[in-house]
Amino acid sequence: MPNPSPAFDLAEAMRHLSAKDKKLAALIAETAPFRIETDGTESPYEVLMESIAYQSISGKAAATIFGRIKALGSNGRPPSPEQMLKLRKPVLRKAGLSGAKVLAMKDLAQKTIDGVVPTYEQALTMSDDELVERLVSVRGIGAWTVEMFLIFRLGRPDVLPIHDLGVKKGWSVTYGKKHMPKPKELLAFGERWRPYRTVASWYMWRAFERAGYKTTNKIRPARVQKPRKHPKSKRTARKRPRRTHA
């Protein structure tokens, strides 16, 4: 079944965020309405398989490679976990996957069969933290990939990708900062957005896109505090008075 709308009250989310954050309220008023598009047919296994294919390469190249991987399945769908385990590594390498991605997809397939990777129906009943804990155990899957799954497949309302470049630079644009925030700084700042941090993150992406690369390329990395050097205490040597002999 398609899932075109978020699984929370969007109007309430907008009211809450606008009341809590004036600059975010202005951004919401000036940009497109929040929208997450998904056809709602992909299983967690398929979403994560595609994420692995797209890691560290351009979108165009990744789409080509993932198209070849899908062709190894049946009925227009990617290979099932059982099919993936049976596919020989040279076949997957020929499709364009690196050795590391072949191992990641094999591990994903095995953990799906073992029940570590849940079905979509099971995922709906699990907390964000539980899903992160389960899914990052898959080789090649990190917290960011799981966060994208939580946002764009499950429509979870309160996800803040603190390591996402677009979110960090969008935050810098929105709040007039020359540097990107440190992950801990963004996490602390985002407390005001609870329980709708997903929506706030989405608008940070819009701020990043709207600003354009000419502006966002000028944003510097997060400041790294250098350990303070304590000045060496200079000992003042006191001259002892010379003893005079009578």
Side-chain angles (χ1 to χ4, degrees):
M1 290 286 292
N3 182 26
S5 58
F8 55 90
D9 187 333
L10 183 55
E12 173 57 30
M14 296 301 191
R15 283 192 295 269
H16 174 84
L17 293 170
S18 296
K20 290 280 186 178
D21 189 328
K22 289 183 179 180
K23 291 195 174 180
L24 180 56
L27 182 61
I28 289 171
E30 293 168 5
T31 52
F34 174 87
R35 181 176 175 81
I36 289 177
E37 296 181 355
T38 173
D39 65 10
T41 61
E42 311 98 330
S43 66
Y45 162 74
E46 290 173 334
V47 171
L48 295 174
M49 182 195 296
E50 187 170 5
S51 297
I52 291 169
Y54 272 74
Q55 286 172 357
S56 304
I57 57 175
S58 72
K60 186 176 180 180
T64 299
I65 292 169
F66 190 63
R68 294 175 190 150
I69 299 298
K70 283 184 72 173
L72 299 173
S74 54
N75 300 320
R77 303 297 290 262
S80 67
E82 293 78 10
Q83 289 173 325
M84 177 57 69
L85 290 178
K86 289 178 181 177
L87 286 169
R88 296 176 65 238
K89 289 181 182 179
V91 173
L92 294 169
R93 289 299 302 271
K94 189 176 180 181
L97 293 179
S98 66
K101 289 184 179 182
V102 170
L103 293 174
M105 286 197 182
K106 294 278 187 181
D107 190 48
L108 172 65
Q110 187 60 59
K111 284 188 167 70
T112 300
I113 291 170
D114 294 343
V116 176
V117 177
T119 63
Y120 176 71
E121 290 72 23
Q122 290 169 338
L124 291 176
T125 67
M126 297 168 68
S127 70
D128 292 356
D129 289 342
E130 189 178 1
L131 282 165
V132 171
E133 184 180 356
R134 285 248 206 136
L135 298 180
V136 297
S137 72
V138 177
R139 185 183 185 117
I141 298 294
W144 181 86
T145 299
V146 182
E147 288 163 351
M148 296 304 103
F149 170 70
L150 291 171
I151 292 172
F152 293 103
R153 181 63 182 93
L154 298 183
R156 294 291 171 89
D158 197 34
V159 181
L160 176 56
I162 59 174
H163 298 284
D164 185 273
L165 187 66
V167 171
K168 290 191 292 185
K169 286 197 171 185
W171 180 89
S172 300
V173 169
T174 302
Y175 300 96
K177 305 294 184 181
K178 293 181 180 179
H179 293 79
M180 285 188 283
K182 296 176 184 175
K184 285 184 179 179
E185 182 185 356
L186 184 56
L187 185 64
F189 187 93
E191 285 298 311
R192 72 190 64 188
W193 297 334
R194 283 184 183 272
Y196 301 110
R197 291 180 298 170
T198 292
V199 180
S201 299
W202 191 89
Y203 278 102
M204 294 303 104
W205 280 317
R206 303 291 78 75
F208 170 72
E209 291 173 352
R210 189 172 66 158
Y213 289 115
K214 188 175 180 181
T215 297
T216 56
N217 283 344
K218 294 178 182 177
I219 298 172
R220 301 169 194 163
R223 287 178 177 170
V224 178
Q225 286 184 342
K226 296 180 180 178
R228 293 178 64 183
K229 291 182 179 180
H230 297 286
K232 293 180 180 178
S233 57
K234 295 180 180 178
R235 294 183 179 178
T236 54
R238 293 181 180 178
K239 293 182 178 179
R240 291 184 181 181
R242 289 182 180 179
R243 293 179 67 180
T244 56
H245 296 279

